[in-house]
Amino acid sequence: MKKQSALLYFLLFAHNLWTQNLPSEPQPDQELLNEWAEVLAAEMEEGAEDAQQILMEQLLQLYQNPININTATREDLQKIFFLSDLQIEALLFQRFQNKAFYSIYEMQAIEGMDAASLKMLAPLLRFDWEVQTSKRTFRPQADLFIRGQSQLQTQNGYRARPDGSIPFQGSPIKAYTRLEIKALKQVSLGLVAEKDQGEPLFTAQQPGPDYLSGYLQFQTDHTLRKVIVGSYKLSSGQGLALQTGHATLKSSATTSIRNRQASYAPSLSVNEGGGCSGVLVDLGGEAWQLLPFFSRVQRDGRLDTLEQDGVVLRSLKSDGYHRTETERAQRKNTEEWVVGLTGKYLLPRMTLEAGLLHYQLEHPLQALPTTYNQHYWQGRSTHNFWLAGSGSVANMHWFAETAFNESAHPALWAGLQSLLKQTAELALGFRHFPLDYYAPLGGALSEASVPAGETGFYVGLELPLPAALTASGYLDAYSHRAARYGVSGPAKGFDLLLTLHHQTSSDWENTLRFRHRTKGVDRESEEPETVLGEQNQNQLRWQSRFTPGKNWMLTLRGDWQTVQKSGGERSSPGFFLSQDLRYTSNSKKWNVTLRYAVFDAEEYATRIFAYEPDVLYSMSTPAHYGKGNRLVVLGKWTPLKGLDLWLRFSRWHYPGRESIGSGYAEIRGDKNREIKLQLRKRF
């Protein structure tokens, strides 16, 4: 009942704002949004839509509230993901020498600041050279999103079984609503609601949206700086013990391996498998910060009843689907409590952090006995403690964190970034996770999703070359001291990425990328004992983007991928080729993007991920698996000031197939179509 009352309050408040003639916040045009999205998709790991969406939201917030470059702190600048740590340090040093920047053109003198970075940076900055003391009249603001999408073909989950029952208990429409309000100068609030396809809505069992979350934030200019009640995300150090937003990932930004997420932020994420919800308090001054926090969340879990131990939790479920009777029985059936404290102290060229947290589940976690999870944490409660620091010495930036749980053996993540001969950037990183280390809220950069027992060494390099060329790459070598899923014993591997980027002008750019991965796997064998082997994966990608005028942009991309296992067994290669065409009207009130792609990846191991154009706040990087073609048409129209409309149509086509998918997701025929509509109203 409380959630329904809160929803009614938000809608009434939004209606009142709708009827007012209020100035809207500045909004980026679609070309800039697409550019940010494409950079995110290129830099992040395959399938990392959650991380991409979080960073996109952060950029949009910066666009609406640009940073004053002449007063910005290091932490402010770290929110801009495409700036490296070395660029930030060079920027701060240049500002210290010159006292102030008066335009974006003066920033060309900053070491390592290239034209591409400055182009994307310009809309996020303002150049006030004096502290603004004049008080402007505050006026409420709000931002409302309403989105709906549905497949046009019928999945098996909506078809009646022989006994007449239908597996999916809801409609095939996915609905999403997001509302943010700056109600008062010191008060802001947000609400997000989502219903996945197949989930019931407005029924006796589910009277409202399947997922409903929000926050209320209060801020002051005193020692008690902020209070957040509701959903929020946290980050500290390298994320060894605390990283609830998204894990740090390897990317084509090969020298950016330090965790740069904000210490905390309110959250409107619809990821039902993570995040915190409760109370967070920010206490601090110019050089210090304390963050006490408490979280209580209802999680989805797979429960089991044992004769002696009672109810145990086999695993936490994170996909967020509640469509069938089984899935609904697992919905929010176990509580998770977290209480903790983080502290930060700022020195002129150094930041020190420390923290501790206690984590507890309603039911003890007791995974089924298998080879690969014998070293995973099991129990009802655990705690973490950590120490971290980062700083700069000359042209080097260092960072390190060590973290503990009940084990006496600490986890460690340490790294160094350096500018070589004022042009090349070098990054070095070392990580070590003991076998018995566990951090339920951790998300440090690692190869395995559960990194217990992992040790790795990372080297990244970015080097400008003659003829408008830039070369970059990384080598990440790692080892695991215990069995993991698909690997029955200790194994070693490495991940190599090489990229060559060429841009002669702002009209035409080309990127060539090669990636090689070697990892341990179990070999198929007739022997009774499992035989360990290795798998080698090679991927080659070429992308060319051409802008013939202010209205048109063309992007061509091709991928080729092969996989070979020990013993010479080679999978059929995967192939992907796409052509994008984007047109923007002279008035910039409407634009259309067309994507057509063909692919041939008959084996799961050679599937290819590719970013697709999508509506705002929705990142799409699907896996292209099988043999077929893909069509995407995206249109955006701004009929009135403060009102944006999106329409997206997409289609998968697998010629000659009688069905697509499997299980409840299977559809009959060789085509799968989807339509998506989104409305945004700014007040």
Side-chain angles (χ1 to χ4, degrees), residues 26 49 94 113 163 335 423 464 542 565 607 682:
E49 289 93 343
Q94 186 83 1
M113 191 68 72
D163 62 0
E335 286 191 348
T423 55
W542 171 67
K565 295 184 178 180
R607 69 196 187 282
R682 303 184 300 276

Side-chain angles (χ1 to χ4, degrees), residues 548-561:
K550 65 178 183 178
N551 303 101
W552 295 92
M553 177 177 286
L554 295 88
T555 304
L556 179 65
R557 170 179 162 174
D559 288 70
W560 181 268
Q561 184 163 266

Side-chain angles (χ1 to χ4, degrees), residues 3 12 23 39 53 123 132 166 196 205 214 220 235 256 259 265 374 440 482 490 498 504 529 586 604 661 670 681:
K3 288 188 175 181
L12 290 174
V39 170
Q53 183 167 322
Q132 301 297 309
I166 298 176
D196 286 315
Q205 296 79 16
T220 74
S235 178
S256 295
N259 175 35
Q374 60 182 318
L498 300 173
T504 55
E529 295 184 359
N586 290 327
Y604 185 76
D670 62 357
K681 174 61 180 174

Side-chain angles (χ1 to χ4, degrees), residues 386-400:
W386 64 95
L387 297 169
S390 63
S392 299
V393 178
N395 63 343
M396 294 186 297
H397 190 84
W398 62 269
F399 50 91

Side-chain angles (χ1 to χ4, degrees), residues 3 58 89 127-128 147 258 285 345 416-417 440 497 501 510 579 592 601 608 646 674 682:
K3 288 188 175 181
Q58 194 165 281
E89 292 302 320
F127 292 85
D128 302 338
R147 181 193 308 153
R258 186 174 73 87
Y345 188 72
L416 179 71
Q417 297 164 308
L497 177 72
H501 181 76
N510 293 274
Q579 175 67 66
V592 177
I608 295 173
W646 285 265
E674 183 182 72
R682 303 184 300 276

Side-chain angles (χ1 to χ4, degrees), residues 45 103 135 227 252 316 367 483 495 528 596:
E45 280 278 348
S103 72
K135 295 185 178 180
V227 177
S252 60
L316 289 170
D495 184 359
Y596 184 76

Side-chain angles (χ1 to χ4, degrees), residues 652 654 657-662 665-667 669-672:
W652 295 98
Y654 298 88
R657 288 177 58 169
E658 296 182 356
S659 64
I660 301 173
S662 61
E666 181 179 343
I667 64 172
D670 62 357
K671 296 183 180 68
N672 186 7

